[in-house]
Amino acid sequence: MATDTDRHFMTAALAEAEQALAAGEFPVGCVLVHEGEIVASGRRLNSQGPATNELDHAEIMALRQLFATRPELDRSRITVYSTMEPCLMCFSTLLLNNIRTVVYGYEDIMGGGTNLPLTQLLPLYQAMQPSVTPHVLRQESVALFKRFFADPRQAYWQGSLLADYTLRQ
């Protein structure tokens, strides 16, 4: 169940996503919150253009900022707010960095990682018990993705299951 706090910080993640969209990037934004304070933020980079890659996801960019500026923080007390459900890579990376609380706006029906059956994996993951809160400000997140996928200049994931699903929302 989403709280006012969740909605407040998701609004900050949405602002990051708006900046990504304005720059022509896939509109995923993320903030990391520790004890009621945003300690790092990130947005999707390099989803298109000459440096296109699948490493510069919003969550990874936020983690890099956290490591560079606040490495001393107890990561088990950090909550991740992301406009889209973290993919398998990002979700696993968050877990391996001892971050166990994730709040997201829009479900990633094509590559979301939060339903990963941890108890069926190898011992490293089996004991992890993440807390996941979905669909916080979902409609606001969906609106950004609709704008992205409706733009014929955007090639990233066009024609994909995610694009088709999003445009039908």
Side-chain angles (χ1 to χ4, degrees):
M1 182 77 142
T3 66
D4 287 341
T5 298
D6 290 338
R7 287 184 280 278
H8 170 75
F9 289 117
M10 187 59 73
T11 299
L14 284 162
E16 289 289 326
E18 281 278 3
Q19 291 179 39
L21 185 61
E25 299 287 353
F26 195 57
V28 181
C30 175
V31 296
L32 306 182
V33 175
H34 182 267
E35 297 181 355
E37 173 192 1
I38 295 174
V39 294
S41 61
R43 66 182 77 83
R44 181 66 165 97
L45 298 174
N46 298 312
S47 59
Q48 300 184 85
T52 298
N53 69 72
E54 286 300 334
L55 292 174
D56 294 338
H57 289 200
E59 297 88 349
I60 301 301
M61 302 312 294
L63 280 172
R64 286 179 178 160
Q65 184 183 70
L66 177 72
F67 300 153
T69 61
R70 304 290 300 273
E72 77 286 355
L73 292 179
D74 177 359
R75 293 182 209 144
S76 69
R77 299 174 58 104
I78 289 176
T79 300
V80 174
Y81 292 88
S82 184
T83 57
M84 177 169 266
E85 177 184 6
C87 71
L88 185 57
M89 173 186 73
C90 291
F91 189 61
S92 299
T93 301
L94 293 168
L95 293 176
L96 289 171
N97 280 285
N98 204 30
I99 296 173
R100 300 287 192 274
T101 307
V102 175
V103 179
Y104 68 83
Y106 184 40
E107 66 276 8
D108 182 353
I109 63 153
M110 193 167 73
T114 64
N115 289 313
L116 185 65
L118 298 174
T119 58
Q120 296 176 23
L121 298 179
L122 297 171
L124 176 64
Y125 295 95
Q126 287 176 353
M128 295 179 182
Q129 297 181 351
S131 169
V132 178
T133 303
H135 303 140
V136 174
L137 301 183
R138 181 182 183 274
Q139 290 307 315
E140 291 82 347
S141 292
V142 169
L144 292 175
F145 292 102
K146 278 184 158 182
R147 283 174 39 208
F148 179 84
F149 286 124
D151 185 344
R153 296 171 297 169
Q154 303 297 353
Y156 187 73
W157 290 121
Q158 286 294 344
S160 69
L161 176 64
L162 179 62
D164 294 343
Y165 177 78
T166 300
L167 292 170
R168 287 193 315 266
Q169 296 297 304

